[in-house]
């Protein structure tokens, strides 16, 4: 079985093909989405909902929105550092997240989320899972795609395909029932925006153009609200929010909640309690006010849509279907703007949180050979080029070229006896090298000949994942040479190998961490139920027994926050032991009550 | 340029039509006379590296192409070679599928765009057309230089001081744009004409020295037209930016 994974900025989920149907895989609580949050404990990691709780308790040891850092250097995220409670560093051109004394790369953190999804799939399907399709924003560059593939490897998954999210969504919609037409997929998630224009004909989904922004999404809407609240708290309550990461995270979570509610309500009241007797911060948000706050960001997405249509040579009126993807498209304002732009009511019948994972499962089915009807022809979102004299980029593969595709370039020398040529590969749409994204560098070996003598042909191949492969051959001798490409913003192979090894070591710790969480959850419910039972049965048992029970509950409560699940378990057992009698007494009382009620009802009859 | 002279061509079988890299299966060494899959071991076979884009998409080497046939052949060959259908096969087959599809995609991308199609044809038939000088005619060059100068002046004027001069320049550039657009239309018409001439020459059976000379003449004209077109387009683009 090949699974389909949506590795999102805010939420992640996994889906599979069940015969002809794609289905998402729910977790133990019945929900399919796993919040993309990883909490670091002393002895392991937490993923998803438990990690979300960890976020307010221990913000500097809880990582969220890690997707924003994939394939990036520290300088790329400089202006948003203040929003993140954890410490970021850089090593080898790759961002590292510092937790205590340890540095984690974004692919490692993503791998923990992938492992949780893999575990869910294995539990649900009852088989080992080793192969996956993972989705990425269509506008992800080569480094970001590579980082995602690395994350898969670290999680023990063979990533058969890196699939673009909007195209995945179009597969899930089963629009192939419409035999032909133009489709626009507008995908606004937690951290990224994509627009793709597709042509559909007889089961072939041909992407004509794609555009987007890998740094624009719901997170940015939250931030706008957070900024307002932070300012407000300072003027009204004299609170300096910057000094408390806990408060900052509370505000962020409240802002997100308020944003969500504003999609259904026209007005939402927000209340955040402040520490140190500073009272409660209160504010009412109107939908209009929220819309005014985000209108420029939404306009940016509209501009991308227009560019994509221009590249696709399609007019808005020609678009037959519009599909909305991503949680942020629930915002009525965005819905309205999209409808106005394309002059069409968008599809949103599938859950926008699930549709990408479902599409990944459909693609997994195609790769497995189970679906020969559909075929996806995707494009590369950015032009690929090489640096030439004077710091100018020479584009060799243009954006929106159908992939896989290749281009061949001939290289020679400019100085007699020169034995190597340096090649710098870039991605982007600008003329100057400095305005584009540096992907990688490599050195061609050339035989010492007069200037212009050597003829080395380099083939740049973009595969179906949208990822670059480079090969070179000496035209004179016909000999091919291996090219060692050094990524500008990526992990080296050795690093990834090390991380895979470490990840096996962590696996043991992760099991422990999960046991701690499960024990903690159970402890909490036992404390609550015991206290309730004690209230009801206080008069039915002796004072000494009440004290014993209270003592055991207090000990359990104290043990609950320990990191050893065995300690918690033993205290749980203690409570169960001392409440045994109380339980029996209560049971008797309940029975008696029931009998009496019965008698009463019989009397009434 | 989407003429339909080939629409009445017989329905083509896209299979087994393309030149292959070898007449022997790379895997089991049995004969594969131009087939995409070895009839014995069912492994996919690599397409010939020398394949030109027209042959690859099963089209005549003409400049007016049947767009529908182009797309149909492209889709059919994609269904034959796309890496998605080889994900569970061994590495060699995956790599052949990748190579074949990359070639196919490059061919489709080039031929579906009428201008890139002409550029490609010129490159393919290069021989004698390569030596042609392609500077624009003197009158066009002068016109463009003058416009560029006016654009620079307009950009350098501050809005408060010189509203009269700005207005005048603005109007002039607007007129220039109109003229240039007309010129562009004339040029596109010439381009179509030359494309048709090429196709007519291609339609003639055989190729003697006289026809070859005429073809070279057409290629030379096409090359010049393309170069002028680039000049005009860039200037029209600059004008659109400044006068809207």
């Amino acid at each position: 079985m090949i699974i389909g994974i949506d590795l999102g900025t805010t939420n992640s989920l996994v889906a599979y093909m069940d015969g002809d149907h794609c289905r998402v895989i729910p977790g133990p609580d019945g929900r399919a989405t796993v919040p993309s949050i990883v909490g670091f404990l002393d002895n392991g990691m937490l993923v998803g909902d438990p990690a979300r709780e960890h976020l307010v308790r221990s913000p500097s040891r809880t990582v969220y929105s890690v997707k924003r850092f994939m394939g990036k250097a520290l300088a790329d995220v400089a202006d948003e550092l203040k929003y993140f409670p954890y410490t970021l560093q850089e090593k080898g051109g790759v961002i590292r997240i510092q937790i205590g004394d340890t540095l984690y790369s974004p692919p490692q953190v993503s791998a923990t989320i992938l492992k949780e999804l893999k575990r869910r799939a294995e539990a649900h399907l009852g088989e080992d899972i080793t192969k996956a399709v993972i989705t990425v924003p269509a506008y992800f560059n080569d480094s970001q795609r590579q980082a995602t593939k690395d994350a898969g490897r670290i999680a023990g998954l063979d990533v058969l395909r890196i699939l673009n999210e909007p195209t995945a969504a179009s597969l899930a919609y089963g629009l192939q029932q419409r035999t032909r037409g133009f489709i626009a997929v507008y995908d606004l998630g937690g951290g990224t925006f994509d627009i793709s224009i597709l042509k559909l004909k007889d089961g072939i989904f041909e992407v004509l153009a794609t555009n987007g922004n890998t740094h624009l999404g719901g997170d940015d809407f939250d931030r706008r609200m957070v900024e307002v609240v932070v300012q407000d708290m300072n003027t009204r309550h004299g609170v300096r929010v910057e000094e408390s990461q806990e408060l900052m995270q509370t505000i962020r979570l409240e802002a997100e909640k308020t944003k969500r509610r504003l999609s259904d309500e026209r007005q939402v009241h927000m209340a955040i309690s402040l520490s140190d007797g500073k009272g409660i911060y209160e504010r009412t948000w109107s939908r209009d006010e929220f819309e005014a706050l985000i209108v420029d960001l939404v306009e940016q997405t509209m501009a991308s849509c227009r560019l994509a249509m221009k590249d696709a040579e399609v007019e808005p009126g020609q678009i037959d279907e519009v599909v909305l993807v991503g949680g942020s498209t629930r915002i009525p304002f965005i819905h309205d703007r999209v409808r106005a732009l394309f002059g069409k009511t968008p599809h949103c019948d599938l859950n926008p949180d699930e549709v990408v994972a479902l599409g990944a499962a459909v693609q997994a089915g195609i790769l497995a050979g189970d679906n020969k009807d559909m075929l996806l022809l995707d494009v590369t979102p950015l032009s690929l080029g090489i640096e030439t004299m004077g710091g100018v980029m020479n584009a060799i593969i243009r954006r929106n070229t159908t992939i896989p595709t290749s281009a061949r370039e001939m290289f020679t020398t400019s100085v007699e006896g020169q034995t190597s040529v340096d090649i710098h590969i870039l991605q982007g749409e600008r003329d100057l090298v400095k305005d584009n994204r540096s992907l990688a560098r490599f050195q061609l070996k050339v035989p010492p000949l007069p200037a212009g003598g050597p003829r080395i042909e380099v083939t740049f191949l973009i595969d179906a994942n949208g990822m670059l492969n480079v090969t070179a051959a000496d035209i004179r001798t016909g000999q091919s040479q291996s090219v060692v490409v050094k990524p500008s913003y990526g992990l080296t192979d050795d690093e990834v190998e090390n991380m895979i090894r470490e990840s096996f070591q962590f696996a043991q710790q992760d099991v422990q961490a999960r046991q701690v969480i499960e024990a903690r959850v159970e402890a909490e419910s036992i404390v609550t139920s015991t206290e309730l039972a004690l209230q009801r049965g206080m008069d039915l048992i002796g004072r000494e027994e009440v004290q014993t029970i209270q003592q055991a509950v207090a000990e359990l409560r104290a043990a609950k926050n320990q990191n050893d699940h065995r300690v918690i378990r033993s205290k749980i057992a203690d409570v169960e032991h001392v409440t045994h009698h109380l339980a029996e007494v209560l049971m008797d009382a309940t029975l008696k009550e029931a009998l009496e009620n019965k008698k009463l009802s019989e009397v009434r009859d | 340029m989407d003429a339909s002279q080939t629409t009445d061509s017989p329905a083509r079988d896209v299979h087994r039509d393309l030149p292959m890299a070898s007449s022997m299966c790379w895997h089991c060494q049995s004969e594969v006379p131009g087939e995409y899959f070895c009839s014995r071991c069912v492994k996919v076979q690599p397409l010939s590296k020398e394949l030109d884009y027209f042959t690859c998409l099963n089209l005549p080497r003409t400049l007016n192409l049947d767009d529908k046939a182009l797309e149909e052949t492209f889709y059919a060959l994609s269904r034959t070679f796309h890496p998605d259908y080889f994900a569970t096969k061994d590495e060699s087959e995956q790599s052949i599928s990748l190579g074949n599809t990359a070639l196919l995609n490059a061919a489709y991308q080039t031929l579906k765009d009428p201008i890139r199609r002409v550029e490609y044809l010129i490159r393919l038939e290069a021989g004698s057309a390569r030596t042609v000088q392609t500077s624009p005619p003197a009158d066009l060059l002068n016109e463009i230089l003058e416009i560029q100068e006016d654009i620079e002046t307009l950009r350098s004027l501050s809005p408060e001081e010189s509203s009269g001069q700005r207005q005048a320049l603005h109007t002039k550039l607007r007129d220039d744009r109109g003229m240039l657009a007309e010129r562009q239309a004339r040029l596109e018409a010439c381009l179509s004409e030359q494309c048709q001439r090429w196709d007519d020459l291609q339609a003639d059976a055989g190729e003697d020295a006289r026809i070859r000379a005429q073809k070279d003449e057409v290629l030379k004209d096409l090359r010049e037209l393309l170069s002028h077109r680039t000049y005009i387009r860039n200037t029209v683009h600059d004008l659109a930016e400044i006068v809207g």
Side-chain angles (χ1 to χ4, degrees), chain A residues 286-355:
Chain A
S286 74
R287 194 185 281 179
D288 290 345
E289 189 184 3
F290 172 65
E291 290 174 0
L293 210 52
I294 63 167
V295 64
D296 62 312
L297 297 174
V298 178
E299 271 321 305
Q300 281 182 37
T301 70
M302 294 296 136
S304 288
C305 291
R306 288 187 205 101
L307 274 174
M309 280 191 282
K310 189 164 170 254
D311 279 354
E313 295 176 26
V314 172
E315 297 290 325
Q318 287 174 272
I319 302 283
D320 299 292
E321 313 275 353
V322 180
V323 172
L324 291 183
V325 187
S328 301
T329 59
R330 288 204 177 88
I331 297 171
F333 180 54
I334 289 173
H335 205 276
D336 293 346
R337 294 292 294 122
V338 173
R339 186 173 47 206
L341 179 68
F342 295 103
K344 225 163 235 91
T345 304
H347 280 278
C348 42
D349 4 315
L350 288 181
N351 182 341
D353 292 327
E354 293 182 356
V355 60

Side-chain angles (χ1 to χ4, degrees), chain A residues 161 199 201-204 206 363 366-367 372-377 398 400-405 461, chain B residues 49 68 71-72 74-75 78-79 82-85 87-88 98 101-102 105-106 108-109 112-113 116 119:
Chain A
R161 174 59 44 86
K199 181 162 101 178
K201 197 173 171 190
D202 306 326
I204 295 210
E206 183 188 356
Q363 179 68 27
I366 296 173
L367 296 182
K372 294 268 184 213
D373 299 331
M374 288 155 100
L375 177 62
L376 185 61
L377 304 175
R398 294 188 229 186
N400 294 324
T401 296
T402 307
I403 52 172
T405 191
L461 177 106
Chain B
K49 278 221 167 74
K68 198 162 155 278
E71 187 184 86
E72 273 169 15
F74 171 64
Y75 284 170
S78 292
R79 281 191 181 277
H82 199 277
D84 280 8
Y85 297 141
T88 54
L98 190 60
T101 309
N105 284 339
Y108 179 61
Q109 209 79 31
K112 81 172 174 187
D113 179 76
R116 287 176 75 179
E119 286 169 350

Side-chain angles (χ1 to χ4, degrees), chain A residues 238-255:
Chain A
V239 175
R240 294 183 58 83
V241 178
E242 303 80 31
E243 287 164 7
S244 162
Q245 274 303 340
E246 286 81 0
L247 181 57
M248 189 61 127
Q249 290 314 311
T250 308
I251 298 173
R252 200 177 64 84
L253 293 177
E254 281 303 315

Side-chain angles (χ1 to χ4, degrees), chain A residues 168-430:
Chain A
S170 71
L171 288 181
Y173 257 94
L175 291 167
Q176 75 277 17
Q177 284 146 2
R178 160 188 268 285
T179 47
R180 60 188 57 204
F182 291 108
I183 309 166
V185 185
Y186 179 100
D187 179 356
L188 188 60
T192 58
F193 168 68
D194 280 324
I195 171 75
S196 286
I197 311 289
L198 293 95
K199 181 162 101 178
L200 172 62
K201 197 173 171 190
D202 306 326
I204 295 210
F205 290 68
E206 183 188 356
V207 180
L208 299 176
T210 193
N211 207 298
N213 185 337
T214 59
H215 245 67
L216 174 62
D219 277 7
D220 299 281
F221 301 162
D222 300 349
R223 277 180 198 168
R224 292 276 169 98
M225 296 174 82
V226 168
E227 274 164 22
V228 171
V229 173
V230 167
Q231 186 82 50
D232 227 16
M233 275 189 182
N234 196 346
T235 43
R236 278 163 49 193
H237 299 266
V239 175
R240 294 183 58 83
V241 178
E242 303 80 31
E243 287 164 7
S244 162
Q245 274 303 340
E246 286 81 0
L247 181 57
M248 189 61 127
Q249 290 314 311
T250 308
I251 298 173
R252 200 177 64 84
L253 293 177
E254 281 303 315
E256 192 193 344
K257 217 190 294 173
T258 306
K259 174 189 76 178
R260 284 171 194 266
R261 283 177 56 197
L262 278 170
S263 291
D264 299 318
E265 298 159 45
R266 297 216 69 99
Q267 255 188 6
V268 173
H269 186 74
M270 178 192 244
I272 298 169
S273 63
L274 304 167
S275 54
D276 308 334
K278 291 214 168 86
I280 292 178
Y281 168 82
E282 287 185 278
R283 189 183 202 286
T284 301
W285 287 87
S286 74
R287 194 185 281 179
D288 290 345
E289 189 184 3
F290 172 65
E291 290 174 0
L293 210 52
I294 63 167
V295 64
D296 62 312
L297 297 174
V298 178
E299 271 321 305
Q300 281 182 37
T301 70
M302 294 296 136
S304 288
C305 291
R306 288 187 205 101
L307 274 174
M309 280 191 282
K310 189 164 170 254
D311 279 354
E313 295 176 26
V314 172
E315 297 290 325
Q318 287 174 272
I319 302 283
D320 299 292
E321 313 275 353
V322 180
V323 172
L324 291 183
V325 187
S328 301
T329 59
R330 288 204 177 88
I331 297 171
F333 180 54
I334 289 173
H335 205 276
D336 293 346
R337 294 292 294 122
V338 173
R339 186 173 47 206
L341 179 68
F342 295 103
K344 225 163 235 91
T345 304
H347 280 278
C348 42
D349 4 315
L350 288 181
N351 182 341
D353 292 327
E354 293 182 356
V355 60
V356 168
L358 292 172
V362 174
Q363 179 68 27
I366 296 173
L367 296 182
D370 300 333
N371 180 348
K372 294 268 184 213
D373 299 331
M374 288 155 100
L375 177 62
L376 185 61
L377 304 175
D378 220 318
V379 298
T380 177
L382 299 159
S383 300
L384 184 93
I386 43 181
E387 175 167 358
T388 56
M389 299 268 256
V392 174
M393 169 169 134
N394 173 27
I396 53 176
I397 295 176
R398 294 188 229 186
R399 71 164 185 272
N400 294 324
T401 296
T402 307
I403 52 172
T405 191
S406 63
R408 281 179 282 184
E409 286 286 310
M410 199 68 79
F411 292 91
T412 186
T413 51
S414 51
V415 182
E416 174 159 355
Q418 190 178 336
T419 53
S420 68
V421 178
D422 290 320
I423 296 176
H424 184 195
I425 313 173
L426 304 146
Q427 222 172 10
E429 309 311 320
R430 307 281 296 275

Side-chain angles (χ1 to χ4, degrees), chain A residues 11 14 81 119 160 171 176 190 230 332 336 344 397 408 424 439 475 507 528 539 554-555 605:
Chain A
N11 289 305
V14 53
L81 283 182
R119 204 177 58 85
L160 294 188
L171 288 181
Q176 75 277 17
V230 167
D336 293 346
K344 225 163 235 91
I397 295 176
R408 281 179 282 184
H424 184 195
L439 282 192
I475 291 297
T528 318
D539 303 331
E555 276 176 31
D605 285 343

